[in-house]
Amino acid sequence: MPIHVNTKETLNGDFMEFRAPSAAAELNARGLEYLTKNLSDPKAGSQLFVSLREQLGNCVESYPDWHPILSHPEQSRTIHVSSITQVKQYEGIDHNTLFVRGFVTCPYSKDMSDKLVERVNAITGLSAWHLDGPLYSDHAYPVVVEALDVELEADGTIRSRDALAWCAEQLVKGARDAQVAETWWNMRRHILGSPHGSRSSLIVNQFTGGHMRKFLEAFNDSGMYGPIKEWLLDMLSEKKRKKISETLIEAALNQRDKLGNSFEFELRGESCKAEIRDTFGDGEELSIRVTIGESDLVTSGFFYQKSNTLQVSDPNGKRVLAEKFL
C-alpha cells in the first residue's frame, strides 16, 4: 500500500519566500503591538514607536554576528555572541524589540535601566538613553541602545560599504579559533541576520549579501578555517529536500517488517542506519530516523499508521550524498 505524504507542512519547513517589504511590515506591526498593547495610553506609545522606527529602521528578529550592537561590546574570544542576551554589558535587558540600528528594552527596575545606560555609553560607537514615555508597560523604564556608526541605505538596510567591512573583519577574526569551515547555507543567519532569504535580509540587501557570500566562500576555499563542514541543504529546492527524505524514510519503513525497529539497510550503494519507534506506545505514530555514516546524511519524520501518511523533516548533511537519493 503506498504511503501518502503530507504536502501541507514539513517539520522545520519554511514555505514562505522571503520578501523584504512584507517581512518588514509584519515585524513592524508585531513590534508595535508588543510594545503598546499593555499601556494605559496605547496611542502615546504608538507615537513613541513611530519615532523609534524613523530613527532606528525596521524591526528585525536577530542581528548578524558582525553587527556593532553585538561586536562593539568587548567579549571573550571563547564566547560566540549571536544575541543581545549574551552580551554582559547589556545585563538587565528585558522585553526587547530589535531594529536595524539598535534596540529598545523595557526593564521594570529604574536602577537596572540607569546602570544599563551607563555601561552602554562607555562603549565606543554605541549610545543609550531613557525614553520620555512608557513602552511595553506603564511600570517599565524603557532604554534605547543605538549603534551610532550604522547608516541606512534608501531601502532601509545597512550601508553596503560598512556592512561589508564589519562582516569581513568578523570572518577573519573567527578564523584563528576555527576547526572547520562552515558553508554559506550553514552561516546565512549569522551573516545576514533574520528574517533572511537566500542572500538578503532586512539588514543587508542582495548586493551586500551577495558579496558577503563571496567573502565566505573565498575564505573557505583558502583553507583558512579548515575542512568544510556541510550540514544545511537549503541550496536544494524544497521539493528536492522533501524527495530525499521521503526516499530514505519510505525505504526504512519498507524494511521494518523484516528487520525490526533498529537496523541497517543498503540503498543506492550506501549503508543506511534506521531507528524506528512507536512515539506514544499506542501504535498511532511512528518516529523514524535514518542516518548514513557519521551524520554524513541525516533525516527524520513521522508515519501515521491509521491514515498511512508520512510527514518528513528536511535532510541535513553532504550535498553530493543527498543528491544520490533524488
Side-chain angles (χ1 to χ4, degrees):
M1 183 177 181
I3 295 171
H4 302 291
V5 178
N6 185 341
T7 58
K8 293 183 180 179
E9 62 175 325
T10 60
L11 302 180
N12 302 318
D14 182 7
F15 297 97
M16 297 297 291
E17 182 181 350
F18 178 73
R19 289 184 171 85
S22 58
E26 179 182 345
L27 284 175
N28 290 336
R30 193 189 307 170
L32 173 62
E33 181 184 15
Y34 179 73
L35 291 173
T36 61
K37 65 181 179 180
N38 297 321
L39 299 177
S40 60
D41 187 354
K43 185 175 181 180
S46 297
Q47 291 173 342
L48 267 180
F49 178 84
V50 170
S51 177
L52 282 176
R53 265 256 304 113
E54 291 174 350
Q55 183 169 358
L56 301 179
N58 289 314
C59 290
V60 298
E61 291 177 341
S62 69
Y63 294 119
D65 292 355
W66 50 261
H67 195 291
I69 288 291
L70 299 180
S71 63
H72 278 17
E74 187 175 344
Q75 303 294 333
S76 168
R77 276 180 52 185
T78 61
I79 298 175
H80 173 215
V81 175
S82 58
S83 167
I84 60 173
T85 59
Q86 296 174 282
V87 179
K88 61 182 180 181
Q89 292 87 341
Y90 299 155
E91 181 183 356
I93 60 174
D94 198 7
H95 311 299
N96 314 308
T97 298
L98 311 186
F99 301 82
V100 175
R101 297 189 63 247
F103 65 92
V104 61
T105 184
C106 306
Y108 282 110
S109 166
K110 185 177 187 309
D111 180 61
M112 192 69 75
S113 68
D114 290 341
K115 290 179 179 178
L116 173 63
V117 170
E118 182 179 354
R119 286 194 302 270
V120 171
N121 284 331
I123 302 171
T124 302
L126 301 184
S127 177
W129 68 92
H130 296 281
L131 276 180
D132 292 335
L135 282 176
Y136 183 75
S137 167
D138 293 336
H139 306 293
Y141 297 88
V143 171
V144 178
V145 177
E146 177 186 11
L148 298 173
D149 297 332
V150 173
E151 296 186 26
L152 302 184
E153 304 271 16
D155 61 9
T157 61
I158 295 178
R159 189 170 66 174
S160 179
R161 60 178 296 180
D162 298 328
L164 290 172
W166 287 323
C167 178
E169 288 171 3
Q170 189 76 12
L171 290 173
V172 171
K173 178 182 175 183
R176 190 172 300 277
D177 300 313
Q179 295 181 337
V180 295
E182 300 273 6
T183 66
W184 171 253
W185 305 98
N186 291 5
M187 292 292 291
R188 279 186 307 169
R189 176 254 181 261
H190 297 286
I191 292 177
L192 300 175
S194 63
H196 64 72
S198 61
R199 61 174 181 176
S200 65
S201 68
L202 297 181
I203 294 174
V204 298
N205 58 31
Q206 288 201 25
F207 173 84
T208 307
H211 282 286
M212 288 176 171
R213 179 175 181 175
K214 290 178 182 178
F215 285 172
L216 179 68
E217 292 179 344
F219 289 149
N220 283 349
D221 290 342
S222 75
M224 182 170 73
Y225 297 119
I228 296 177
K229 172 188 173 183
E230 294 183 79
W231 185 246
L232 296 183
L233 295 169
D234 291 355
M235 74 290 291
L236 302 177
S237 68
E238 180 191 327
K239 182 178 180 180
K240 287 184 176 180
R241 298 196 305 270
K242 181 177 289 193
K243 179 62 177 175
I244 291 164
S245 290
E246 291 169 6
T247 299
L248 289 165
I249 292 175
E250 287 177 5
L253 286 170
N254 289 335
Q255 297 289 330
R256 182 190 179 216
D257 290 341
K258 294 185 295 182
L259 301 176
N261 291 329
S262 182
F263 55 89
E264 293 188 6
F265 65 97
E266 187 168 310
L267 184 65
R268 301 186 186 178
E270 298 292 337
S271 179
C272 309
K273 181 179 179 182
E275 296 177 3
I276 302 175
R277 64 185 179 88
D278 188 333
T279 308
F280 302 108
D282 57 6
E284 294 284 333
E285 176 185 284
L286 298 180
S287 302
I288 309 105
R289 179 181 174 89
V290 179
T291 305
I292 298 177
E294 295 293 329
S295 298
D296 292 334
L297 186 63
V298 179
T299 191
S300 61
F302 298 106
F303 177 58
Y304 302 96
Q305 301 199 84
K306 276 191 175 181
S307 60
N308 197 42
T309 300
L310 181 64
Q311 185 182 29
V312 297
S313 69
D314 274 349
N316 295 113
K318 298 179 178 179
R319 177 178 182 175
V320 172
L321 180 58
E323 289 179 331
K324 293 182 72 172
F325 301 98
L326 288 173

Short mmCIF file of all heavy atoms in Angstrom, two decimals, residues 62-72 80-83 86 166-167 170 187 189-193:
data_model
loop_
_atom_site.label_atom_id
_atom_site.label_comp_id
_atom_site.label_asym_id
_atom_site.label_seq_id
_atom_site.Cartn_x
_atom_site.Cartn_y
_atom_site.Cartn_z
N SER A 62 16.72 39.13 14.55
CA SER A 62 18.05 38.93 15.14
C SER A 62 19.09 39.65 14.30
O SER A 62 18.87 39.94 13.13
CB SER A 62 18.38 37.43 15.23
OG SER A 62 18.57 36.88 13.94
N TYR A 63 20.23 39.92 14.93
CA TYR A 63 21.34 40.61 14.26
C TYR A 63 22.35 39.61 13.71
O TYR A 63 22.55 38.54 14.28
CB TYR A 63 22.06 41.53 15.24
CG TYR A 63 21.24 42.68 15.76
CD1 TYR A 63 20.97 42.82 17.11
CD2 TYR A 63 20.74 43.64 14.89
CE1 TYR A 63 20.22 43.89 17.60
CE2 TYR A 63 19.99 44.71 15.35
CZ TYR A 63 19.73 44.83 16.71
OH TYR A 63 18.98 45.88 17.17
N PRO A 64 23.04 39.99 12.62
CA PRO A 64 24.19 39.19 12.20
C PRO A 64 25.31 39.34 13.23
O PRO A 64 25.36 40.33 13.97
CB PRO A 64 24.57 39.82 10.85
CG PRO A 64 24.03 41.21 10.90
CD PRO A 64 22.79 41.15 11.74
N ASP A 65 26.20 38.38 13.28
CA ASP A 65 27.26 38.39 14.30
C ASP A 65 28.15 39.63 14.22
O ASP A 65 28.73 40.04 15.22
CB ASP A 65 28.13 37.14 14.17
CG ASP A 65 27.37 35.87 14.54
OD1 ASP A 65 26.20 35.98 14.97
OD2 ASP A 65 27.95 34.78 14.39
N TRP A 66 28.28 40.21 13.03
CA TRP A 66 29.19 41.35 12.84
C TRP A 66 28.55 42.69 13.21
O TRP A 66 29.23 43.72 13.22
CB TRP A 66 29.66 41.42 11.39
CG TRP A 66 28.56 41.35 10.37
CD1 TRP A 66 28.16 40.26 9.67
CD2 TRP A 66 27.69 42.43 9.95
NE1 TRP A 66 27.10 40.58 8.85
CE2 TRP A 66 26.79 41.89 8.99
CE3 TRP A 66 27.59 43.78 10.27
CZ2 TRP A 66 25.82 42.68 8.38
CZ3 TRP A 66 26.62 44.55 9.66
CH2 TRP A 66 25.75 43.99 8.72
N HIS A 67 27.26 42.72 13.49
CA HIS A 67 26.56 43.98 13.76
C HIS A 67 27.19 44.68 14.97
O HIS A 67 27.49 44.03 15.98
CB HIS A 67 25.09 43.71 14.03
CG HIS A 67 24.22 44.93 13.97
ND1 HIS A 67 24.27 45.94 14.91
CD2 HIS A 67 23.27 45.31 13.07
CE1 HIS A 67 23.39 46.89 14.61
NE2 HIS A 67 22.77 46.53 13.49
N PRO A 68 27.41 45.99 14.90
CA PRO A 68 28.03 46.70 16.03
C PRO A 68 27.34 46.50 17.38
O PRO A 68 27.99 46.54 18.42
CB PRO A 68 27.96 48.17 15.59
CG PRO A 68 28.00 48.11 14.10
CD PRO A 68 27.23 46.88 13.73
N ILE A 69 26.03 46.28 17.37
CA ILE A 69 25.32 46.02 18.62
C ILE A 69 25.90 44.79 19.33
O ILE A 69 25.95 44.72 20.56
CB ILE A 69 23.81 45.84 18.37
CG1 ILE A 69 23.17 47.20 18.02
CG2 ILE A 69 23.11 45.19 19.55
CD1 ILE A 69 23.09 48.19 19.17
N LEU A 70 26.36 43.81 18.54
CA LEU A 70 26.95 42.60 19.10
C LEU A 70 28.47 42.65 19.16
O LEU A 70 29.08 42.11 20.08
CB LEU A 70 26.53 41.38 18.28
CG LEU A 70 25.04 41.06 18.21
CD1 LEU A 70 24.80 39.82 17.35
CD2 LEU A 70 24.45 40.86 19.59
N SER A 71 29.10 43.30 18.17
CA SER A 71 30.55 43.22 18.06
C SER A 71 31.30 44.33 18.81
O SER A 71 32.46 44.15 19.18
CB SER A 71 30.97 43.25 16.58
OG SER A 71 30.59 44.49 15.98
N HIS A 72 30.66 45.48 19.05
CA HIS A 72 31.37 46.58 19.72
C HIS A 72 31.63 46.32 21.21
O HIS A 72 32.72 46.64 21.70
CB HIS A 72 30.60 47.89 19.53
CG HIS A 72 30.89 48.56 18.21
ND1 HIS A 72 31.45 47.91 17.15
CD2 HIS A 72 30.68 49.85 17.78
CE1 HIS A 72 31.59 48.73 16.13
NE2 HIS A 72 31.12 49.92 16.48
N HIS A 80 30.96 32.74 21.57
CA HIS A 80 30.34 33.15 20.31
C HIS A 80 29.06 33.90 20.64
O HIS A 80 28.10 33.34 21.15
CB HIS A 80 30.03 31.93 19.44
CG HIS A 80 29.25 32.27 18.21
ND1 HIS A 80 28.31 31.45 17.67
CD2 HIS A 80 29.27 33.38 17.43
CE1 HIS A 80 27.77 32.01 16.60
NE2 HIS A 80 28.34 33.19 16.44
N VAL A 81 29.05 35.19 20.36
CA VAL A 81 27.91 36.04 20.69
C VAL A 81 27.02 36.19 19.46
O VAL A 81 27.44 36.72 18.43
CB VAL A 81 28.36 37.42 21.19
CG1 VAL A 81 27.17 38.33 21.41
CG2 VAL A 81 29.16 37.27 22.48
N SER A 82 25.78 35.72 19.56
CA SER A 82 24.85 35.84 18.44
C SER A 82 23.52 36.44 18.87
O SER A 82 22.58 36.47 18.08
CB SER A 82 24.61 34.46 17.82
OG SER A 82 24.09 33.56 18.78
N SER A 83 23.46 36.93 20.12
CA SER A 83 22.22 37.53 20.64
C SER A 83 22.57 38.59 21.67
O SER A 83 23.57 38.47 22.38
CB SER A 83 21.35 36.44 21.27
OG SER A 83 20.30 37.00 22.03
N GLN A 86 23.37 37.63 25.25
CA GLN A 86 24.67 37.05 25.59
C GLN A 86 25.72 38.13 25.89
O GLN A 86 26.83 37.79 26.28
CB GLN A 86 25.18 36.18 24.44
CG GLN A 86 24.32 34.96 24.15
CD GLN A 86 24.80 34.24 22.91
OE1 GLN A 86 24.54 34.65 21.77
NE2 GLN A 86 25.52 33.16 23.11
N TRP A 166 32.52 45.36 8.21
CA TRP A 166 32.28 44.71 9.50
C TRP A 166 32.22 43.20 9.34
O TRP A 166 32.75 42.46 10.17
CB TRP A 166 30.99 45.23 10.13
CG TRP A 166 31.10 46.63 10.66
CD1 TRP A 166 32.18 47.20 11.28
CD2 TRP A 166 30.08 47.64 10.61
NE1 TRP A 166 31.90 48.50 11.62
CE2 TRP A 166 30.63 48.80 11.23
CE3 TRP A 166 28.78 47.69 10.13
CZ2 TRP A 166 29.90 49.98 11.37
CZ3 TRP A 166 28.06 48.88 10.26
CH2 TRP A 166 28.61 50.00 10.88
N CYS A 167 31.57 42.74 8.27
CA CYS A 167 31.46 41.31 8.03
C CYS A 167 32.84 40.69 7.78
O CYS A 167 33.17 39.65 8.35
CB CYS A 167 30.55 41.05 6.84
SG CYS A 167 30.37 39.32 6.40
N GLN A 170 34.82 40.36 10.95
CA GLN A 170 34.32 39.27 11.80
C GLN A 170 34.74 37.91 11.26
O GLN A 170 35.11 37.02 12.03
CB GLN A 170 32.79 39.36 11.89
CG GLN A 170 32.17 38.43 12.91
CD GLN A 170 32.34 38.91 14.34
OE1 GLN A 170 32.73 40.05 14.55
NE2 GLN A 170 32.06 38.05 15.30
N MET A 187 25.73 29.27 7.50
CA MET A 187 26.10 30.53 8.14
C MET A 187 25.19 31.70 7.82
O MET A 187 25.35 32.79 8.37
CB MET A 187 27.52 30.91 7.72
CG MET A 187 28.60 29.99 8.29
SD MET A 187 28.74 30.17 10.06
CE MET A 187 29.44 31.83 10.16
N ARG A 189 22.24 32.81 8.59
CA ARG A 189 21.59 33.54 9.69
C ARG A 189 22.60 34.39 10.45
O ARG A 189 22.30 35.49 10.90
CB ARG A 189 20.90 32.54 10.62
CG ARG A 189 20.27 33.18 11.86
CD ARG A 189 21.15 32.82 13.07
NE ARG A 189 20.61 33.37 14.29
CZ ARG A 189 21.05 34.50 14.85
NH1 ARG A 189 21.99 35.21 14.28
NH2 ARG A 189 20.55 34.92 15.98
N HIS A 190 23.85 33.89 10.60
CA HIS A 190 24.87 34.62 11.34
C HIS A 190 25.48 35.77 10.53
O HIS A 190 26.07 36.68 11.10
CB HIS A 190 25.98 33.66 11.78
CG HIS A 190 25.51 32.60 12.72
ND1 HIS A 190 25.21 32.85 14.03
CD2 HIS A 190 25.25 31.27 12.52
CE1 HIS A 190 24.80 31.74 14.63
NE2 HIS A 190 24.81 30.78 13.72
N ILE A 191 25.32 35.72 9.22
CA ILE A 191 25.89 36.75 8.35
C ILE A 191 24.84 37.76 7.91
O ILE A 191 25.13 38.96 7.76
CB ILE A 191 26.58 36.11 7.13
CG1 ILE A 191 27.82 35.33 7.59
CG2 ILE A 191 26.97 37.15 6.08
CD1 ILE A 191 28.54 34.59 6.48
N LEU A 192 23.62 37.31 7.70
CA LEU A 192 22.56 38.19 7.21
C LEU A 192 21.64 38.71 8.31
O LEU A 192 20.96 39.71 8.12
CB LEU A 192 21.70 37.45 6.18
CG LEU A 192 22.40 36.93 4.92
CD1 LEU A 192 21.42 36.12 4.08
CD2 LEU A 192 23.00 38.07 4.11
N GLY A 193 21.60 38.03 9.47
CA GLY A 193 20.57 38.32 10.45
C GLY A 193 19.27 37.68 10.02
O GLY A 193 19.20 36.98 9.00
#
